[in-house]
């Protein structure tokens, strides 16, 4: 078992876990894994290369051979910047289709373990605490109602100047939740030893404050140095 500490942050899309994970990683000066981005990359690259995302063997073969690179918040496959593609609503749907295939999850598992580097890792996803880093020292499950999550996403997209429909977003979120919670492998659910936080009525700053206090209760402090 690795000595390098992990904080696992799981939950449905729009719960605020991505922002939370980034802030916790910044506060601790630890590495960050956005595992959803890996599934988004696999899903979007399937479409780019004419591979059917429902074809498990083909999607897994593609996932095993991918050359992925992150530069800050930008994601590259080979040398193509595919950040905007993977961040779209369709990117999320494609991710959840390929993520339901056990062979794809196996390929992505190896990639994820590679992110565990000193001084520590904050890992954001659906199965960080239940499967990928089951030995994590602190596990958070961040939830929020589907309506609140759709509303947050709606505001985000509107601020970007995009025209979107709130009922359409709610439908997409509900459909993706059902697929993520209902799948046979690594379904979205809190680990038995996770601290469950419902952010429906909370601001992100309130969530960060609560989690940082759990982080210090667990004896994790800011690292002076972080190897790249
Ligand atoms: O977190 P994000 O919305 O980027 O995740 C996109 C999709 O990837 C999720 O809806 C889920 O189907 C899949 N996923 C997963 N396991 C993870 C992270 C994401 O199955 N650890």
């Amino acid at each position: 078992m690795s000595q390098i500490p992990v904080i696992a942050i799981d939950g449905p899309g729009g719960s605020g876990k991505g922002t939370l994970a980034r802030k916790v990683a910044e506060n601790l000066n630890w590495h960050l894994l956005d595992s959803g981005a890996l599934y988004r990359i696999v899903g979007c690259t399937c479409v780019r290369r004419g591979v059917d995302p429902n074809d498990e063997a083909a999607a897994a073969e593609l996932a095993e051979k991918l050359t992925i690179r992150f530069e800050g918040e930008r994601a590259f496959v080979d040398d193509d910047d595919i950040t905007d593609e993977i961040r779209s609503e369709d990117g999320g749907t494609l991710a959840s289709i390929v993520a339901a295939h056990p062979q794809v999850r196996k390929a992505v598992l190896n990639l994820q373990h590679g992110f565990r580097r000193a001084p520590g890792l904050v890992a954001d996803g659906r199965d960080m605490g239940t499967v990928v880093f089951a030995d994590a020292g602190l596990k958070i499950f961040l939830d929020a109602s589907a309506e609140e999550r759709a509303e947050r996403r709606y505001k985000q997209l509107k601020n970007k100047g995009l025209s979107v429909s709130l009922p359409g977003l709610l439908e997409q979120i509900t459909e993706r939740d059902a697929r993520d919670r209902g799948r046979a492998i690594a379904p979205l659910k809190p680990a038995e030893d996770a601290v469950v936080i419902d952010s429906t009525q909370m601001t992100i700053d309130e969530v960060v404050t609560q989690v940082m206090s759990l982080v210090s209760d667990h004896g994790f402090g800011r690292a002076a140095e972080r190897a790249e």
Side-chain angles (χ1 to χ4, degrees):
M1 200 180 286
S2 173
Q3 296 300 308
I4 298 170
V6 175
I7 295 176
I9 300 183
D10 290 304
S15 57
K17 72 187 159 52
T19 310
L20 170 66
R22 201 177 55 247
K23 296 211 168 171
V24 173
E26 275 168 16
N27 288 345
L28 291 174
N29 199 22
W30 285 12
H31 296 281
L32 176 66
L33 166 62
D34 170 3
S35 62
L38 300 177
Y39 290 101
R40 286 171 183 263
I41 288 171
V42 174
C44 291
T45 310
C46 279
V47 170
R48 278 186 162 224
R49 299 192 184 163
V51 169
D52 178 359
N54 291 296
D55 180 339
E56 173 165 7
E61 193 186 337
L62 177 147
E64 277 161 19
K65 294 186 182 148
L66 278 184
T67 313
I68 297 173
R69 182 166 51 89
F70 290 100
E71 273 178 28
E73 303 215 340
R74 316 281 321 163
F76 298 80
V77 169
D78 298 329
D79 275 326
D80 291 340
D81 183 336
I82 59 160
T83 316
D84 296 339
E85 239 168 281
I86 65 167
R87 291 297 159 211
S88 67
E89 298 309 301
D90 285 351
T93 300
L94 285 164
S96 96
I97 293 171
V98 295
H101 301 319
Q103 289 181 48
V104 170
R105 299 200 76 84
K106 199 170 155 211
V108 173
L109 189 66
N110 296 330
L111 284 170
Q112 295 174 115
H113 285 158
F115 281 79
R116 190 172 195 167
R117 295 195 302 270
L121 176 68
V122 180
D124 148 19
R126 300 290 184 291
D127 61 343
M128 299 296 98
T130 49
V131 177
V132 181
F133 301 110
D135 63 334
L138 173 61
K139 300 177 185 179
I140 307 287
F141 190 89
L142 189 61
D143 213 342
S145 72
E147 289 73 18
E148 174 64 22
R149 289 184 285 126
E151 188 87 35
R152 288 176 188 170
R153 188 72 183 136
Y154 179 73
K155 284 187 191 143
Q156 251 177 13
L157 294 172
K158 275 209 107 172
N159 283 341
K160 284 189 190 165
L162 299 168
S163 92
V164 277
S165 113
L166 184 58
L169 277 176
L170 180 58
E171 194 182 318
Q172 246 173 340
I173 282 182
T174 313
E175 189 191 309
R176 183 138 72 95
D177 275 3
R179 199 181 300 118
D180 289 350
R181 291 182 204 263
R183 69 184 172 215
I185 181 162
L188 171 65
K189 63 167 187 202
E192 273 177 20
D193 48 351
V195 179
V196 179
I197 300 175
D198 186 339
S199 76
T200 307
Q201 309 282 349
M202 294 170 81
T203 65
I204 188 67
D205 287 342
E206 287 169 337
V207 176
V208 172
T209 305
Q210 185 175 339
V211 170
M212 285 313 297
S213 115
L214 290 167
V215 166
S216 62
D217 290 350
H218 280 72
F220 300 130
R222 185 176 169 82
E225 282 180 37
R226 187 183 73 183
E228 287 312 318

